[in-house]
Amino acid sequence: MCGPCPDGFSEENDKCVDIDECSEESSCQDACNNVEGRFVCSCTIGYRVDVSDQTACTDINECDEGLDICPQQCMNTDGGYNCSCFHGFTYNDTIDSCIADAVQECEMSSCPARSVCYSNKYGNPDCLCDKGFDFNNSAQTCEDIDECKQGVCTQICRNNNGGYECSCHPGYTLLADRTCQGNVLER
Ligand SMILES: [Ca+2]
Ligand SMILES: [Ca+2]
């Protein structure tokens, strides 16, 4: 004779059978996924399961977490985000780029490599470094930002020129929001 079934299982014909918590009204705000012995909630794109209660879906702030692909400015929205450009640029949504408005003075000014000339809000020609690069005042050049120093990845981070790459330790899978999720053991 065995003791009582562990949590998440019920006894049927002297066997412990997984309870499908998702077959009834689940506590998940969005999708419920039944797994052996328990259930996990998941959310539609743009939301993630709340870390505190594991059931509610909260909006991902793509702008704050750097998950957006905006060339310049990002504005968080519920379930997504919007891109916009600085003054002096116009957004081109077919190539997801901010194109500098034509300014005649820019042709005469010289901007460093990996930057673009544009007309700033005072109407003067100015240089703006490409995304992933920051202006170094003393060297007057655009230099790569080491995003890894800003803790953008949860596990492994590799900086590269103009960007960076996140990866996970063995046994983990990299999710779209750059977090690492422990692999579910197959039974
Ligand atoms: Ca959002
Ligand atoms: Ca970089």
Side-chain angles (χ1 to χ4, degrees):
M1 273 278 117
C2 304
C5 290
D7 282 350
F9 294 86
S10 67
E11 195 183 318
E12 266 173 48
N13 305 323
D14 290 337
K15 279 183 184 159
C16 288
V17 182
D18 173 56
I19 299 168
D20 184 359
E21 295 88 351
C22 300
S23 65
E24 306 145 29
E25 184 94 354
S26 82
S27 51
C28 295
Q29 186 183 332
D30 198 347
C32 177
N33 311 280
N34 181 48
V35 292
E36 192 126 339
R38 61 195 176 95
F39 68 101
V40 284
C41 301
S42 59
C43 302
T44 48
I45 291 171
Y47 297 86
R48 76 160 64 93
V49 177
D50 195 275
V51 281
S52 54
D53 74 355
Q54 298 292 326
T55 55
C57 291
T58 50
D59 172 58
I60 297 171
N61 189 323
E62 294 85 354
C63 304
D64 281 358
E65 297 185 24
L67 298 168
D68 64 280
I69 54 156
C70 292
Q72 290 183 351
Q73 289 173 306
C74 178
M75 204 176 70
N76 185 48
T77 64
D78 193 34
Y81 64 93
N82 289 323
C83 297
S84 62
C85 300
F86 298 130
H87 176 89
F89 291 83
T90 302
Y91 189 65
N92 182 321
D93 56 6
T94 53
I95 53 170
D96 276 330
S97 292
C98 289
I99 308 297
D101 300 334
V103 190
Q104 214 168 8
E105 299 86 61
C106 273
E107 290 164 22
M108 289 175 278
S109 79
S110 55
C111 283
R114 301 198 182 279
S115 74
V116 62
C117 183
Y118 74 107
S119 171
N120 67 22
K121 59 183 173 184
Y122 307 107
N124 300 320
D126 212 338
C127 299
L128 182 79
C129 294
D130 294 345
K131 195 175 186 181
F133 294 85
D134 234 349
F135 193 68
N136 182 320
N137 246 325
S138 52
Q140 296 283 304
T141 53
C142 290
E143 288 175 5
D144 173 57
I145 298 167
D146 188 350
E147 293 86 353
C148 294
K149 286 183 181 159
Q150 303 168 352
V152 290
C153 303
T154 52
Q155 289 189 356
I156 303 164
C157 184
R158 200 169 52 203
N159 182 49
N160 61 45
N161 207 24
Y164 62 94
E165 227 172 282
C166 297
S167 56
C168 303
H169 299 305
Y172 290 84
T173 302
L174 185 70
L175 303 183
D177 68 359
R178 283 199 318 248
T179 56
C180 293
Q181 189 183 61
N183 293 340
V184 175
L185 292 172
E186 299 289 338
R187 286 175 189 238

